[in-house]
């Protein structure tokens, strides 16, 4: 994949020219015949537009020789009027159909961008910042869409106009075409200069817009924190700094445009002067008529507009291509699932190369861990999750996970506990495939679902919120899931039942209701492995017991990992894993760990004391 690295920071990649062209060509499949028809219409309208200069030159010669009369004038005027109507009609058809095709392809690209963005590995989005992603799906889409009315029609019509006009000049007298051709290097040098400067300036402008969007988003999302810690002034300065960065890059882009315009004006003056001098010499020596010279000047004037338009279209095109390459850069990033597939295949190949003795050692380790998880001796024969030597760190920060070895038997429920900053959530993210480990291997079921403590209620009906996880679910399936998770009360929010609108603009849900809705969504998804990352932590103690029952119902019959906020949840799991400073320091059942009188026993004592204090209040 030809994808260039981002210019700054950890921004999402930018696609190279070949990759961008290939993606656009693929999306245009099914529209190519219509594009050919649009090109033909542009050619015909251009040819018709060249009739007036020739007609005026003919009229000048007739007047000069005294052979013209009122009929000649009326005839020429009628031909010019008809050509104007036909040319306008052809141009309108060309622009209308080209723009329709353009926006259809753009809409398909935007849909692919959004779809791919939803499947991207989370660590990529977190490192780049959501502002970069939003900028690509908004500012960049707008930049590409704004180019639609000009780029495709202008490229076709302008190219045809240049070719036909030069042919017309040569048909009159070859020195006219030669005079104009001599000035073409001025335009070529202007274009060369612009193509060297312009793309870099536009990319910098788009990157500055992404940085500004990220600052604004972070300030809005962390509004409560900003106010609570008195960070408003600092955030304000950060937004101002990035906004000024956008202004600086925009000024640079406009400066480039102005300098290009100056070069084009120079080309215009030289072109007109060259053809005027040649025309004077030819007429003076009787090699051309005044009408011919007039036609040549009008053709050159007719040429100057399209030539300048072509260069300015290239200016617009460069800006659009800078945005388009950023959009395609997202579309061509491997999704988390694709990355997992390649990682799994590599892991399987590595495992196949291991000696038989290592396999036997792994089997012995699995047997020992299965015995620990099942004191009665009913050892599991299948392993849902296997971690070997897993290490992870965020960007260039310190190690968060270090040498994690863990096996989770299929169908068992494992609780992960530990002090704040122990690495519990990071471990859950690595197991889920949200983050890819920096070292070691992870094996997990293909169907894995995660619920974090920050659940989201989408704007829409209850049915819409739940069928996101299972599009084929029937109303009966949805009602059963709500009842299983104790959320059947949501059906009574209004007389619309499953058609009740919730989220933004609808019935607001409490934190407990939102978490129950998320649990019901997971139940409908029916994953092999369910990971609850403090999924009931935000609801408060008043709803704790109800949400604990809902969590147990969701985990029933499948492998489960619980990042326990309340140790009462951990106590009900088949096995408990205690973490500290990115390492597993204890494993065992609730009773075993209490007997061992280690870290878990101390955490449990603190938890119990807190519960007693809360109860006494």
């Amino acid at each position: 994949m030809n994808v260039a690295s981002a210019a700054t920071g950890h921004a999402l990649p930018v696609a190279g020219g070949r990759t961008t062209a290939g993606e656009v060509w693929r999306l245009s499949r099914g529209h190519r015949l219509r594009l050919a028809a649009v090109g033909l219409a542009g050619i015909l309208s251009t040819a018709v537009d060249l009739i007036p200069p020739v007609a005026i030159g003919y009229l000048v010669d007739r007047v000069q020789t005294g052979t013209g009369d009122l009929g000649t004038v009326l005839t020429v005027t009628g031909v010019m009027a008809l050509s104007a109507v036909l040319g306008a009609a052809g141009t309108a058809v060309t622009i209308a159909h080209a723009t329709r095709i353009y926006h259809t392809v753009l809409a398909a690209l935007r849909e692919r961008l959004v779809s791919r963005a939803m499947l991207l590995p989370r660590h990529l989005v977190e490192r780049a910042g959501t502002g970069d992603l939003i900028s690509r799906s908004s500012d960049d889409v707008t930049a590409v869409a704004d180019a639609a009315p000009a780029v495709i029609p202008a490229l076709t019509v302008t190219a045809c106009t240049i070719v036909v006009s030069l042919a017309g000049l040569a048909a009159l007298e070859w020195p006219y075409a030669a005079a104009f051709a001599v000035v073409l290097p001025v335009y070529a040098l202007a274009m060369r200069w612009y193509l060297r400067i312009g793309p870099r300036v536009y990319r910098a402008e788009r990157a500055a817009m992404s940085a500004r969007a990220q600052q604004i988003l972070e300030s809005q999302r962390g509004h409560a924190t900003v106010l609570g810690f008195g960070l408003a002034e600092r955030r304000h300065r950060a937004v101002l700094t990035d906004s000024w960065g956008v202004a600086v890059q925009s000024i640079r882009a406009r400066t480039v445009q102005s300098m290009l315009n100056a070069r084009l004006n120079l080309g215009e003056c030289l072109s007109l002067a060259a053809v005027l001098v040649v025309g004077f010499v030819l007429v003076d020596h009787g090699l051309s008529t005044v009408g011919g010279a007039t036609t040549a000047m009008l053709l050159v004037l007719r040429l100057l507009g399209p030539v300048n338009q072509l260069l300015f279209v290239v200016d617009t095109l460069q800006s659009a291509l800078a945005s388009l390459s950023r959009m395609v850069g997202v579309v061509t990033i491997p999704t988390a699932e694709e990355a997992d597939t390649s990682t799994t295949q590599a892991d399987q190949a590595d495992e196949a190369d291991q000696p038989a003795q290592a396999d036997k050692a792994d089997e012995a380790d699995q047997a020992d861990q299965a015995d620990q998880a099942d004191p009665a001796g009913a050892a599991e024969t299948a392993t849902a999750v296997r971690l070997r030597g897993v290490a992870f760190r965020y960007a260039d920060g310190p190690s968060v996970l270090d040498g994690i070895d863990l096996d989770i038997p299929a169908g068992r429920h494992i609780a992960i506990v530990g002090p704040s900053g122990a690495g519990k959530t990071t471990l859950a993210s690595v197991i889920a495939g949200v983050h890819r480990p920096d070292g070691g291997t992870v094996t997990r079921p293909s169907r894995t679902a995660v619920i974090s403590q920050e659940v989201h209620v989408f704007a829409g009906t209850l049915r819409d919120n739940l069928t996101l996880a299972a599009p084929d679910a029937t109303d009966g399936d949805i009602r059963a899931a709500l009842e299983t998770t104790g959320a059947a009360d949501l059906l009574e929010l209004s007389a619309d039942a499953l058609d009740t609108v919730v989220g933004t603009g609808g019935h607001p849900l409490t934190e407990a209701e939102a978490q129950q809705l998320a649990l019901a969504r997971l139940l409908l998804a029916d994953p092999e492995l369910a990971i609850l990352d403090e999924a009931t932590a935000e609801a408060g103690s008043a709803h704790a017991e109800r949400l604990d029952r809902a969590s147990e119902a969701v985990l029933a019959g499948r492998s489960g990992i619980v990042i326990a906020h309340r140790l009462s949840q951990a106590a009900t799991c088949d096995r408990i894993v205690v973490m500290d400073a990115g390492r597993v320091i204890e494993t065992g059942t609730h009773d075993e760990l209490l007997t061992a009188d280690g870290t878990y026993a101390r955490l449990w004592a603190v938890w119990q004391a807190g519960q007693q204090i809360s109860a006494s209040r």
Side-chain angles (χ1 to χ4, degrees):
M1 180 178 65
N2 182 21
V3 178
S5 300
T8 59
H10 298 291
L12 295 171
V14 177
R18 183 176 299 178
T19 301
T20 301
E23 183 65 21
V24 172
W25 179 251
R26 191 193 67 78
L27 290 172
S28 67
R29 186 180 299 123
H31 304 287
R32 294 168 190 168
L33 188 59
R34 292 178 61 194
L35 280 173
V38 167
L40 179 60
I43 292 173
L44 294 176
S45 65
T46 301
V48 170
D49 285 341
L50 296 182
I51 292 177
V54 176
I56 292 175
Y58 169 79
L59 185 59
V60 168
D61 280 341
R62 295 297 295 272
V63 171
Q64 185 185 24
T65 58
T67 57
D69 55 17
L70 181 60
T72 302
V73 173
L74 293 177
T75 300
V76 170
T77 301
V79 170
M80 291 174 60
L82 179 60
S83 67
V85 172
L86 293 176
T91 301
V93 170
T94 300
I95 293 176
H97 286 275
T99 303
R100 182 174 181 178
I101 295 170
Y102 187 95
H103 279 291
T104 300
V105 173
L106 179 61
L109 177 60
R110 177 159 41 186
E111 289 174 1
R112 286 205 66 198
L113 184 150
V114 174
S115 299
R116 181 55 60 105
M118 298 298 292
L119 299 173
L120 287 181
R122 184 174 174 180
H123 69 279
L124 288 180
V125 179
E126 288 181 346
R127 291 179 64 185
T130 53
D132 186 15
L133 189 58
I134 290 176
S135 176
R136 294 181 189 227
S137 59
S138 56
D139 292 338
D140 289 328
V141 171
T142 299
V144 177
D146 288 346
V151 172
I152 292 180
L155 287 176
T156 302
V157 174
T158 302
C160 181
T161 299
I162 292 174
V163 172
V164 174
S165 296
L166 286 174
L169 286 172
L172 284 172
E173 296 291 344
W174 68 264
Y176 289 128
F180 184 80
V182 168
V183 184
L184 287 179
V186 175
Y187 291 100
L189 290 174
M191 179 58 63
R192 181 180 178 184
W193 169 84
Y194 173 74
L195 291 178
R196 187 178 70 253
I197 302 296
R200 183 172 68 251
V201 172
Y202 284 118
R203 283 196 295 269
E205 184 181 24
R206 298 300 173 201
M209 289 179 177
S210 294
R212 179 183 61 183
Q214 179 66 22
Q215 291 289 359
I216 294 173
L217 279 172
E218 288 180 352
S219 299
Q220 290 178 337
R221 290 180 174 177
H223 182 68
T225 302
V226 169
L227 294 180
F229 287 89
L231 302 176
E233 182 61 29
R234 182 184 301 176
R235 298 304 305 172
H236 180 63
R237 287 197 302 270
V239 172
L240 283 179
T241 299
D242 284 341
S243 296
W244 178 247
V246 173
V248 169
Q249 296 301 334
S250 296
I251 291 172
R252 288 177 179 173
R254 303 298 84 77
T255 300
V256 169
Q257 291 178 353
S258 298
M259 295 176 69
L260 174 62
N261 190 55
R263 286 165 169 77
L264 297 183
N265 288 339
L266 174 62
E268 289 179 2
C269 293
L270 293 176
S271 299
L272 291 173
V275 174
L276 184 61
V277 169
V278 168
F280 175 81
V281 171
L282 291 177
V283 171
D284 187 54
H285 289 76
L287 300 176
S288 176
T289 65
V290 175
T294 301
T295 299
M297 286 296 296
L298 292 175
L299 286 176
V300 170
L301 286 172
R302 180 72 180 84
L303 262 174
L304 293 178
V307 168
N308 291 344
Q309 184 183 16
L310 177 61
L311 295 181
F312 273 111
V313 161
V314 172
D315 178 83
T316 303
L317 183 61
Q318 286 295 320
S319 178
L321 286 177
S323 295
L324 185 62
S325 62
R326 283 163 48 84
M327 294 170 65
V328 175
V330 174
V331 169
T332 52
I333 297 175
T335 64
E337 182 178 350
E338 292 167 348
D340 289 343
T341 300
S342 61
T343 300
T344 300
Q345 292 173 348
D347 293 344
Q348 291 173 348
D350 290 340
E351 291 177 0
D353 292 337
Q354 298 298 321
Q357 292 180 351
D359 291 339
K360 292 179 180 180
D362 286 342
E363 292 173 1
D365 291 341
Q366 294 173 24
D368 291 340
Q369 293 178 358
D371 290 340
Q372 291 179 359
D374 188 355
E380 295 288 338
T381 59
T383 301
V385 177
R386 175 186 294 175
L387 283 73
R388 289 291 181 270
V390 170
F392 180 82
R393 68 177 62 209
Y394 291 99
D396 299 324
S399 177
V400 180
L401 300 178
D402 186 12
I404 301 293
D405 292 324
L406 185 64
D407 286 301
I408 300 177
R412 294 302 181 94
H413 303 157
I414 305 300
I416 301 178
V417 302
S420 178
K424 304 184 297 297
T425 293
T426 300
L427 179 60
S429 297
V430 169
I431 294 174
V434 172
H435 295 311
R436 300 184 66 182
D438 297 321
T441 60
V442 179
T443 303
R444 61 179 173 277
S446 59
R447 292 189 296 114
T448 298
V450 184
I451 297 182
S452 69
Q453 65 187 60
E454 298 177 358
V455 298
H456 183 71
V457 178
F458 294 90
T461 65
L462 282 173
R463 182 185 291 103
D464 293 337
N465 268 269
L466 292 167
T467 54
L468 284 172
D472 297 330
T474 65
D475 286 359
D477 295 333
I478 296 173
R479 292 177 184 273
L482 290 173
E483 291 175 0
T484 301
T485 56
D489 293 347
L490 295 178
L491 296 173
E492 300 176 4
L493 289 175
S494 75
D496 295 328
L498 286 175
D499 292 319
T500 299
V501 177
V502 294
T504 305
H507 283 270
L509 300 184
T510 65
E511 291 178 344
E513 290 172 336
Q515 287 168 339
Q516 285 177 299
L517 188 66
L519 289 169
R521 189 185 294 140
L522 184 145
L523 192 63
L524 287 170
D526 193 25
E528 298 175 66
L529 173 66
I531 301 176
L532 306 184
D533 183 5
E534 299 187 0
T536 62
E538 295 292 332
S541 58
H543 303 281
E545 184 177 350
R546 184 178 182 182
L547 286 170
D548 284 347
R549 289 198 302 270
S551 298
E552 291 174 5
V554 166
L555 293 176
R558 61 172 52 88
S559 305
I561 298 175
V562 178
I563 308 299
H565 175 75
R566 295 185 298 276
L567 292 188
S568 58
Q569 290 178 293
T572 63
C573 290
D574 300 312
R575 184 179 171 203
I576 299 171
V577 175
V578 184
M579 293 187 65
D580 191 17
R583 292 178 174 271
V584 174
I585 58 173
E586 293 179 351
T587 61
T589 66
H590 173 72
D591 293 336
E592 289 172 347
L593 293 177
L594 288 182
T595 302
D597 196 24
T599 300
Y600 179 77
R602 290 192 294 273
L603 291 173
W604 179 259
V606 173
W607 163 260
Q608 288 290 83
Q611 293 298 101
Q612 291 174 2
I613 293 173
S614 298
S616 65
R617 293 176 181 175

